[in-house]
């Protein structure tokens, strides 16, 4: 912005007349792949790309380039960048009617062509999101007396980040049970709300809950769906009245029954719930007052007891009409007929003395009481001493009534085994005393067990094995642990606690038992988690049980193959055989299974090299020649087996080591038939000519030595060759009789190992004052020379190397480290000086040769003939 401002107010305002401002609008769909062409700024503005200096396109804000678009600074082409253009993320607040626009500026430079281009990219919505319910389970409460076509709003509607037709369009039920359907209403803001409509009759007493799926559907192509569980709970209304289980009850009572003796119990039930099912019992107004006074009716329990003293004036038959009253209901009716049998003898009297705790006639025992724990003493008193009394116990349970030692008419009520609250909580026992006249007295004893914390919580599964994909979202639900405790009340309430070995990334709700992971897990960091969870009750003392949770983290293809080295270099000899091994490329993938299976391939050079895709062995398919190409760069790509597959690449450098596979190539003389004129007056020590050869190999394989292995001429020993430079010099004075043709067979050898290679060349020197007869010389050259090859002693062949070695001092075996370092430094200095002197000497020899060498043949025809012969010789 400052730069643009300076263009108009600063020293560059001279260019303002050339400046132009343009606006370009592009329309794209969201989610463009990276590299997709959005538009061409230069072409769309019809700019002249032939301008000099060339045009340059630049984004005014680099952040835009990094995030969403890439701009080609030369062509002005605008591409989608690596970060996907997501309309919902870019314009989260835009409604259906508002366009989502990505705006930025582009500067066209240089100054003389400056333009400010405002670019607007309208991002169109595509159906890339599915509807989603904010709650996984939705509950709707419907009364059972709901009328047909009753409507109930489902407040938890689905949301879809997409807009327009790509947003939520309708809802439907997976299973409507033939009783429900859905309707959709649109409010003023355009939001859709589903309504549940009742299309059939409901009865809570028949079915109190319906579970189905509510599905939200958008209008895209293809359509996307979102699902949540819809639980339709049928609520109770008071549509049922009390009903007695028995409409007639007949009871017989002895006239000597004690006050408070149990007569009978009436029972009615109501199918409704809560307050709608509450029942109260009353006598009908038709029941005489005397009967009401003699027989007491408990309004809540329906128990009828004797509440007065019966004598001779008491009626022998009582008809008790009992009403069961419900809220808003006509009372249900049952009739209890009580027949009283008059007794002329005194019945036995049962006197209880309780040892255990008694509250309101109910005996309370702890379930931890041991076997044979005493409950009560019963003393049987018989007013008629002559009557024999039989006493026994009626009822079911681990109890017994036995005579107490040697006392008469004393009975002890006790337990026969350990009681268990979880099996049964209460018992009703009857102590029956019966004399010989048939008079019976019954004493009812209610026993209520007191629960104790004697049961630990029990997990439904002692080993919980879970599978979870890595890279999960934070706070991911894993499972809901469930443990039960057979104890009651607080003793049976279970709390869930993570064991001390549980990693901190896991949380466990102590009440619900919901286990969650708070962070994203990485299988490559850890593929299994094993820890304990405790279920603890609230009793005293606390009791607990332990379960083991094993979470196996499943692999996702989130790791690219990795080469052990950033790049690889292999040194191999150039004569490596076909399909010979060059080296092994090591690559690994932190993923597992098929995600970790890596296949290698050569991106370039597949005609020369081949790689074992599994083992990573790189081989050469064809022979290699260092002299043609000494270095190869091979790009290797590693691709894993995941979906989508991930890849990486590396570069392999193959360096060929030289092998002595090329003999020296003689460049001068060019032919065995060429010759030079040597004047007899030439002084000894003069350089006559030189043999010059090269070797395509390197190192010691290219170090050349020159030796004369055959001679012919009047004085053949007159000439010698320098083994290092190939320079041929005259060794002694030539006389008049020494004139003639001299032929020297020169062997040119390299220093290769294990066997050196060599070439030979014939050096022809004609000693004479002039070239008087060229044809004669040519005839001599064409004859096969009768030259005996000399056997060069090994020490002479090794002479060049020996000379170099002689420059080094002889170092004793036990020389100190400092002397060795000093000697090494001295050798380096001497070698450097030697090389410099040798180069200088070689240069002088060449200059002198140019001055002294005189071509003997100036005839053009002869030169052409010689050239032709040299070509034949080279062939």
């Amino acid at each position: 912005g400052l730069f643009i401002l300076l263009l108009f107010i600063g020293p560059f305002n001279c260019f303002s007349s050339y400046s132009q401002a343009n606006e370009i609008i592009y329309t794209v769909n969201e989610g463009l792949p990276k590299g997709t062409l959005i538009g061409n700024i230069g072409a769309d503005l019809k700019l002249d790309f032939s301008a000099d200096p060339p045009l340059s396109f630049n984004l005014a804000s680099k952040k835009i380039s990094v995030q969403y678009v890439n701009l080609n600074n030369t062509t002005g082409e605008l591409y989608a960048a690596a970060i996907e253009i997501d309309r919902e993320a870019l314009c989260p607040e835009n409604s259906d009617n508002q366009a989502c626009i990505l705006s930025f500026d582009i500067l066209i430079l240089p100054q003389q062509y400056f333009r400010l281009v405002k670019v607007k990219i309208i991002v169109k919505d595509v159906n890339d999101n599915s509807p989603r319910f904010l709650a996984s389970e939705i509950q709707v409460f419907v009364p059972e007396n709901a009328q047909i076509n009753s409507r109930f709003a489902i407040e938890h509607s689905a949301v879809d980040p997409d807009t327009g037709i790509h947003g939520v369009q309708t809802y439907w039920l997976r299973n409507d049970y033939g009783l429900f359907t859905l309707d959709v209403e649109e409010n003023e803001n355009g939001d859709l709300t589903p309504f549940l409509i009742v299309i059939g009759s409901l009865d809570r007493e028949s079915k109190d809950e319906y579970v189905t799926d509510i599905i939200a559907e958008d209008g895209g192509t293809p359509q996307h769906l979102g699902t949540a569980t819809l639980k339709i709970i049928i609520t109770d209304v008071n549509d049922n009245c009390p009903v007695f289980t028995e409409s007639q009850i007949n009871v017989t009572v002895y006239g000597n029954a004690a006050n408070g003796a149990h007569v009978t119990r009436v029972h009615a039930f109501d199918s409704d719930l809560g307050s709608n099912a509450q029942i109260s019992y009353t006598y009908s107004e038709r029941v005489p007052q005397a009967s009401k006074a003699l027989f007491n009716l408990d309004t809540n329990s329906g128990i009828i007891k004797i509440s007065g003293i019966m004598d001779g004036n008491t009626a022998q038959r009582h008809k008790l009409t009992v009403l069961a009253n419900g809220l808003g209901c006509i009372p249900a009716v049952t009739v209890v007929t009580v027949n009283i049998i008059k007794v002329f003898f005194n019945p036995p009297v049962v006197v209880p003395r309780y040892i255990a705790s008694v509250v309101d006639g109910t005996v309370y025992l702890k379930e931890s009481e041991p076997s044979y724990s005493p409950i009560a003493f019963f003393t049987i008193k018989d007013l008629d001493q002559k009557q024999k009394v039989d006493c026994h116990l009626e009822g079911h349970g681990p109890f017994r009534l036995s005579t107490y030692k040697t006392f008469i008419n004393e009975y002890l009520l006790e337990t026969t085994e350990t009681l268990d609250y979880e099996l049964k909580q209460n018992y009703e026992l009857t102590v029956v005393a019966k004399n010989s006249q048939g008079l019976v007295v019954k004493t009812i004893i209610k026993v209520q067990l007191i629960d104790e914390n004697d049961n630990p919580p029990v997990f439904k599964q002692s080993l919980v094995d879970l599978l979870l994909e890595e890279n999960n979202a934070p706070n991911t639900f894993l499972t809901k642990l469930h443990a039960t405790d057979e104890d009651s009340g607080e003793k049976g309430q279970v709390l869930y606690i993570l064991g001390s070995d549980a990693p901190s990334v896991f949380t466990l709700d102590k009440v619900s038992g919901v286990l969650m992971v708070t962070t994203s897990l990485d299988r490559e960091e850890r593929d299994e988690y094993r820890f304990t969870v405790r279920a603890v009750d609230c009793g005293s003392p606390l009791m607990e049980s332990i379960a083991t949770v094993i979470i196996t983290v499943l692999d996702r293809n989130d790791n690219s193959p990795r080469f052990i080295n950033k790049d690889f270099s292999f040194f191999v000899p150039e004569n490596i055989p076909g399909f010979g091994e060059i080296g092994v490329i090591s690559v690994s993938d932190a993923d597992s299974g098929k995600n970790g299976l890596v296949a290698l391939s050569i991106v370039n050079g597949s005609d020369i090299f081949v790689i074992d895709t599994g083992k990573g062995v790189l081989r050469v398919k064809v022979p290699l020649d260092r002299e043609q190409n000494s270095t190869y760069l091979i790009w290797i790509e590693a691709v894993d087996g995941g979906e989508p597959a991930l890849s990486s690449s590396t570069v392999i450098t193959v360096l060929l080591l030289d092998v002595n596979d090329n003999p020296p190539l003689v460049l001068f003389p060019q032919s065995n038939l060429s010759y030079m004129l040597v004047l007899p007056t030439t002084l000894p020590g003069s350089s006559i000519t030189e043999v010059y050869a090269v070797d395509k190999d390197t190192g010691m394989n290219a170090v050349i030595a020159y030796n004369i292995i055959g001679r012919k001429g009047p004085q053949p020993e007159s000439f010698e060759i320098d083994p290092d430079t190939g320079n041929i010099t005259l060794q002694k004075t030539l006389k008049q009789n020494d004139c003639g043709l001299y032929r020297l067979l020169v062997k040119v050898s390299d220093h290769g190992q294990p066997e050196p290679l060599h070439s030979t060349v014939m050096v022809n020197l004609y000693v004479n004052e002039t070239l008087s007869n060229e044809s004669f010389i040519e005839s001599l050259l064409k004859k096969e020379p009768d030259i005996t090859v000399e056997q060069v002693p090994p020490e002479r062949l090794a002479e060049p190397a020996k000379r170099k070695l002689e420059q080094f001092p002889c170092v004793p075996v036990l020389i100190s480290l400092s002397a060795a370092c000093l000697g090494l430094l001295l050798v380096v200095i001497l070698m450097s000086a030697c090389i410099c002197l040798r180069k200088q000497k070689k240069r002088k020899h060449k200059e002198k040769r140019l001055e002294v060498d005189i071509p003997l043949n100036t005839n053009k025809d002869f030169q052409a003939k010689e050239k032709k012969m040299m070509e034949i010789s080279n062939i």
Side-chain angles (χ1 to χ4, degrees):
L2 179 61
F3 175 73
I4 297 171
L5 182 63
L6 288 174
L7 289 175
F8 293 95
I9 66 173
F12 302 102
N13 58 6
C14 59
F15 299 108
S16 60
S17 60
Y18 301 99
S19 304
Q20 298 183 31
N22 301 89
E23 182 178 78
I24 298 179
I25 299 176
Y26 297 110
T27 301
V28 300
N29 290 333
E30 63 173 324
L32 287 180
K34 179 183 177 182
T36 302
L37 179 65
I38 297 176
N40 190 319
I41 304 298
D44 295 338
L45 293 177
K46 299 181 180 179
L47 299 180
D48 184 8
F49 283 93
S50 63
D52 187 23
L55 299 178
S56 174
F57 300 84
N58 301 276
L59 281 167
S61 173
K62 295 300 181 184
K63 292 184 179 179
I64 295 295
S65 174
V66 172
Q67 289 182 345
Y68 298 111
V69 296
N70 287 332
L71 177 64
N72 188 312
N73 301 105
T74 304
T75 64
E77 292 175 329
L78 199 63
Y79 296 94
I83 297 181
E84 180 183 292
I85 301 178
D86 186 3
R87 189 200 67 82
E88 289 75 35
L90 187 63
C91 307
E93 303 298 331
N94 280 25
S95 62
D96 295 351
N97 300 325
Q98 294 177 323
C100 179
I101 299 177
L102 174 65
S103 302
F104 52 91
D105 296 336
I106 293 179
L107 305 178
I108 301 177
L109 299 173
Q111 304 295 344
Q112 55 267 41
Y113 309 116
F114 173 75
R115 285 194 184 190
L116 172 64
V117 182
K118 292 187 173 293
V119 179
K120 290 184 178 179
I121 299 178
I122 300 175
V123 182
K124 295 178 62 178
D125 183 49
V126 299
N127 192 29
D128 57 345
N129 292 280
S130 299
R132 182 173 62 88
F133 287 93
L134 299 180
S136 60
E137 181 178 290
I138 302 172
Q139 293 183 349
V140 178
F141 295 89
V142 179
E144 61 177 326
N145 62 346
Q147 299 296 317
I148 304 298
N149 295 327
S150 298
R151 302 167 65 86
F152 299 90
I154 301 175
E155 299 298 337
H156 299 282
S157 56
V159 295
D160 193 326
D162 295 325
T163 60
I165 193 65
H166 297 150
V168 178
Q169 299 298 312
T170 187
Y171 295 85
W172 48 279
L173 296 177
R174 191 179 301 277
N175 183 4
D176 58 12
Y177 295 95
L179 299 173
F180 308 98
T181 188
L182 284 182
D183 188 18
V184 180
E185 291 185 3
E186 184 176 353
N187 59 18
E188 297 177 354
N189 298 326
D191 297 329
L192 299 180
T193 302
F195 281 81
L196 182 70
I197 302 176
V198 179
I199 60 174
S201 299
L202 304 176
D203 184 7
R204 188 205 63 80
E205 287 72 34
S206 298
K207 186 166 182 148
D208 61 354
E209 185 177 272
Y210 298 87
V211 179
T212 184
D213 289 336
I214 180 172
I215 299 173
E217 182 180 290
D218 64 20
T221 303
Q223 292 178 327
H224 293 166
L225 306 177
T227 304
T229 301
L230 179 64
K231 186 177 289 187
I232 305 171
I233 300 173
I234 310 302
T235 59
D236 185 53
V237 297
N238 192 24
D239 58 346
N240 290 281
C241 291
V243 177
F244 276 106
T245 55
E246 296 177 282
S247 59
Q248 295 284 340
I249 300 176
N250 292 315
V251 180
T252 299
V253 176
Y254 288 98
N256 59 350
N259 187 9
H262 180 83
V263 176
T264 189
R265 180 183 180 181
V266 295
H267 179 69
F269 67 93
D270 193 320
S271 300
D272 294 325
L273 297 175
S275 60
N276 295 330
Q278 291 183 356
I279 300 174
S280 62
Y281 301 95
T282 59
Y283 281 130
S284 170
E285 295 296 333
R286 299 178 182 180
V287 177
Q289 190 62 35
S291 296
K292 291 181 181 180
L294 184 60
F295 301 101
N296 178 61
L297 173 63
D298 189 292
T299 58
N300 294 322
S301 63
I303 295 176
I304 299 176
K305 296 182 179 180
I306 297 174
S307 58
I309 299 175
M310 294 181 289
D311 53 22
N313 297 322
T314 302
Q316 296 183 3
R317 183 181 179 88
H318 296 265
K319 186 176 181 181
L320 306 177
T321 302
V322 181
L323 306 179
N325 303 292
L327 184 62
C329 292
I330 298 174
V333 180
T334 186
V335 176
V336 179
T337 301
V338 181
N339 296 305
I340 299 176
I341 300 175
K342 290 188 176 183
V343 178
F344 299 99
F345 299 95
N346 293 318
V349 177
V350 178
V351 180
R353 289 174 291 170
Y354 292 99
I355 301 172
S357 176
V358 179
V359 178
D360 295 332
T362 301
V363 177
Y364 290 89
L365 294 177
K366 294 181 179 180
E367 63 172 330
S368 61
E369 294 287 349
S371 301
Y372 305 108
S373 296
I375 299 174
F377 279 110
F378 291 92
T379 302
I380 308 300
K381 296 182 179 180
D382 190 0
L383 299 178
D384 299 322
Q385 298 295 329
K386 298 179 180 180
Q387 301 295 328
K388 181 180 180 181
V389 178
D390 174 41
C391 188
H392 63 275
L393 185 67
E394 292 182 353
H396 300 284
F399 305 95
R400 71 177 183 180
L401 185 68
S402 58
T403 57
Y404 185 68
K405 296 182 179 180
T406 58
F407 295 99
I408 299 175
N409 295 334
E410 293 285 348
Y411 295 88
L412 175 64
L413 178 63
E414 60 184 354
T415 61
T416 58
E417 60 185 54
T418 304
L419 304 176
D420 190 349
Y421 177 88
E422 286 68 40
L423 293 178
K424 191 172 183 179
Q425 293 82 34
N426 50 68
Y427 299 87
E428 188 171 291
L429 307 176
T430 303
V431 177
V432 180
K434 182 178 180 181
N435 61 16
S436 58
Q437 298 297 323
L439 298 178
V440 178
V441 174
K442 294 183 178 182
T443 302
I444 297 175
I445 300 173
K446 292 183 178 180
V447 178
Q448 177 69 47
L449 298 186
I450 300 174
D451 185 32
E452 292 190 323
N453 194 32
D454 58 344
N455 290 282
V458 178
F459 277 102
K460 187 177 181 181
Q461 292 177 293
S462 60
L463 180 62
V464 182
D465 204 342
L466 304 175
L467 301 177
L468 177 66
E469 273 197 348
E470 64 174 328
N471 304 331
N472 57 284
N475 298 320
T476 297
F477 171 84
L478 296 177
T479 189
K480 183 176 182 180
L481 301 174
H482 182 66
T484 57
D485 194 318
E486 294 182 353
D487 295 322
S488 62
E490 290 186 354
K491 307 176 190 66
Q493 292 181 2
V494 180
L495 300 179
Y496 301 92
I497 302 172
L498 284 173
S500 58
D501 57 344
S504 60
V505 297
F506 298 99
T507 60
L508 179 62
D509 187 282
K510 66 178 182 179
V511 177
S512 65
V514 172
L515 180 64
M516 302 177 68
V517 57
T518 59
T519 61
S520 180
L521 301 182
D522 186 0
R523 188 204 66 83
E524 288 70 40
E525 181 180 336
R526 187 172 178 180
D527 61 355
E528 183 181 274
Y529 294 84
R530 181 188 294 263
F531 54 89
T532 57
V533 290
R534 300 161 52 208
V536 182
D537 62 22
C538 298
S540 180
L542 297 176
M543 301 191 75
E544 67 176 39
S545 62
I546 296 176
T548 301
V549 177
I550 300 176
I551 300 174
T552 303
V553 184
L554 301 179
D555 184 54
R556 297 182 68 178
N557 194 28
D558 58 345
N559 288 277
S560 301
R562 292 188 61 185
F563 290 93
I564 291 181
N565 298 328
K566 199 171 183 180
D567 49 44
F568 294 81
S569 296
F570 297 110
F571 296 84
V572 295
E574 61 177 322
N575 62 350
I576 182 172
F579 291 96
E581 180 178 330
I582 293 177
V584 178
I585 294 90
S586 299
V587 65
S588 63
D589 194 314
D591 296 319
S592 65
K594 69 175 185 178
N595 295 333
L597 295 177
V598 180
L600 298 176
S601 61
I602 299 177
V603 179
N604 64 333
S606 58
D607 294 336
I608 301 176
F609 300 95
V610 65
I611 190 169
D612 188 324
T613 185
K615 297 180 180 179
V617 179
L618 182 65
R619 301 180 184 274
V620 60
K621 295 197 293 185
V622 297
L624 302 178
D625 188 355
R626 186 202 64 81
E627 286 70 40
Q628 293 184 5
N629 192 356
S630 62
T631 305
Y632 293 89
L633 295 179
I634 309 169
W635 285 94
I636 303 294
E637 184 181 36
V639 181
D640 63 22
E643 292 184 3
L646 300 178
S647 64
S648 62
S649 60
T650 188
V651 62
I652 309 297
T653 303
V654 178
L655 301 171
L656 297 185
L657 300 177
D658 185 52
V659 175
N660 192 27
D661 57 349
N662 289 281
L665 176 64
V666 179
L667 301 180
F668 187 86
Q670 298 179 350
S671 169
N672 288 335
L673 299 178
S674 61
Y675 61 94
M676 291 187 63
L677 176 64
V678 180
L679 298 176
T681 58
T682 304
L683 298 176
S686 300
S687 176
I688 305 302
T689 185
E690 73 171 343
V691 177
Y692 181 68
V694 295
D695 197 315
K696 293 181 180 180
D697 295 321
T698 60
M700 293 302 294
N701 296 332
V703 176
I704 298 175
Y706 303 89
N707 295 281
I708 298 175
I709 61 173
R711 304 168 183 266
K712 187 176 183 182
Q715 292 293 331
E717 302 298 329
S718 299
F719 300 93
E720 288 295 338
I721 190 169
D722 188 304
D724 295 327
T725 64
N727 188 37
I728 297 176
T729 59
L730 181 62
Q731 297 296 311
K732 60 183 180 178
T733 304
L734 296 174
K735 299 178 181 180
Q736 189 65 32
N737 296 331
D738 296 337
C739 293
L741 181 63
Y742 289 79
R743 309 196 74 174
L744 304 177
L745 181 60
V746 179
K747 179 179 181 181
V748 184
S749 303
D750 60 25
H751 285 70
Q753 293 294 333
E755 290 292 335
L757 302 178
H758 69 274
S759 300
T760 60
V761 65
M762 187 70 72
V763 179
N764 302 302
L765 302 174
Y766 187 64
V767 179
N768 201 2
E769 293 292 341
T770 61
L771 290 175
S772 58
N773 191 349
E774 295 181 1
S775 59
F776 173 71
I777 298 174
E778 291 179 7
S779 64
L780 292 177
L781 294 175
K782 290 180 180 179
K783 292 180 180 181
E784 186 70 26
D786 185 15
I787 298 177
T788 302
V789 178
E790 301 176 359
Q791 296 297 326
V792 181
E795 51 273 6
R796 187 175 179 184
L797 291 175
E799 185 177 354
K802 183 178 180 181
R803 288 182 182 177
K804 295 180 181 178
L805 292 175
E806 287 176 352
Q807 298 175 0
F808 291 89
C810 183
V811 182
V813 177
L814 302 178
I815 191 170
S816 64
L817 181 62
S818 59
C821 295
L822 183 61
L824 181 61
L825 179 60
L826 180 61
V827 169
V828 173
I829 296 173
L830 291 176
M831 289 183 66
S832 300
C834 181
I835 293 172
C836 293
L837 292 174
R838 186 175 296 174
K839 287 185 176 179
Q840 187 176 2
K841 182 179 179 182
K842 191 173 183 181
R843 191 181 303 112
K844 288 181 179 180
H845 285 326
K846 288 183 178 180
E847 292 174 355
K848 187 174 181 179
R849 187 190 66 185
L850 294 175
E851 295 174 357
V852 176
D853 292 350
I854 301 174
L856 300 180
N857 195 345
T858 58
N859 188 285
K860 293 183 179 179
D861 296 334
F862 179 78
Q863 290 179 356
K865 186 184 295 184
E866 181 186 18
K867 183 177 180 182
K868 185 175 181 181
M869 293 178 67
M870 290 175 65
E871 290 177 354
I872 295 173
S873 175
N874 290 334
I875 292 174

